């Protein structure tokens, strides 16, 4: 679902089993509040001091309004919030994609410093 004109659904959701798996995962985490106590993220944001971060958020994201990103940005001292006013969830538009690329580009030297690691591999 999107409020963005020209939005096209993710092709993964054309497959009924994929839709069902996604729905089960999302509702499981929602039901259990992300397996966190109420207020944990905001209360413990100070633990991120010294760790830079960029949150890119679409202002038209109807499942997560802008305050969802604004609240942690207020309490995470080294965070930058980039709000893309006319775009929705995920990489729903060009401005969001450009903002995500700009946010991650400074980490390229770190990736090049560890060439033995496969991109996307979890340690």
């Amino acid at each position: 679902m999107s409020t963005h004109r020209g939005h096209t659904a993710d092709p993964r959701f054309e497959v009924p089993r994929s839709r069902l798996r996604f729905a089960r995962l999302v509702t499981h985490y929602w039901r259990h509040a992300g397996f966190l106590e109420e207020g944990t993220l905001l209360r413990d944001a100070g633990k991120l001091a010294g760790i830079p971060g960029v949150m890119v958020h679409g202002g038209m994201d109807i499942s997560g309004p802008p305050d969802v990103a604004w609240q942690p940005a207020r309490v995470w001292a080294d965070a930058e919030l980039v709000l893309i006013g006319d775009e929705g969830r995920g990489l729903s538009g060009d401005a969001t994609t450009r903002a995500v690329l700009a946010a991650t580009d400074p980490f390229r030297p770190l990736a090049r410093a560890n060439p033995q690691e496969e991109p996307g591999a979890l340690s």
Side-chain angles (χ1 to χ4, degrees), residues 85-121:
D86 62 346
E87 293 190 2
R89 185 165 196 81
L91 299 175
S92 62
D94 293 338
T96 301
T97 301
R98 285 192 303 273
V100 168
L101 291 173
T104 57
D105 199 50
F107 296 102
R108 281 180 177 220
L110 297 173
R112 288 190 186 115
N114 296 303
Q116 72 281 0
E117 293 181 15
E118 292 183 37

Side-chain angles (χ1 to χ4, degrees), residues 22 28 33 50 58 62 66 68 75 78 82 86-87 91 94 102 107 110 115:
F22 180 77
H28 182 66
I62 49 182
V68 169
V75 294
D78 298 293
V82 178
D86 62 346
E87 293 190 2
L91 299 175
D94 293 338
F107 296 102
L110 297 173

Side-chain angles (χ1 to χ4, degrees), residues 4 12 22 35-36 43 49 51 56 63 67-68 70 72-73 91 95-96 111 116:
H4 190 290
R12 292 175 296 178
F22 180 77
F35 299 95
L36 297 171
R43 182 186 67 238
I51 301 172
V56 178
S63 65
D67 68 310
V68 169
W70 179 78
L91 299 175
T96 301
Q116 72 281 0

Side-chain angles (χ1 to χ4, degrees), residues 20-99:
L20 179 60
R21 287 182 186 133
F22 180 77
R24 283 183 176 163
L25 179 66
V26 169
T27 55
H28 182 66
Y29 273 83
W30 280 350
R31 166 69 177 92
H32 297 283
F35 299 95
L36 297 171
E37 292 178 22
E38 183 70 29
T40 298
L41 291 176
L42 297 179
R43 182 186 67 238
D44 292 344
K47 293 179 180 179
L48 298 171
I51 301 172
V54 180
M55 294 179 280
V56 178
H57 194 88
M60 299 299 287
D61 181 349
I62 49 182
S63 65
D67 68 310
V68 169
W70 179 78
Q71 290 178 15
R74 276 186 347 180
V75 294
W76 180 5
D78 298 293
E80 174 188 355
L81 173 59
V82 178
L83 185 62
I84 310 295
D86 62 346
E87 293 190 2
R89 185 165 196 81
L91 299 175
S92 62
D94 293 338
T96 301
T97 301
R98 285 192 303 273

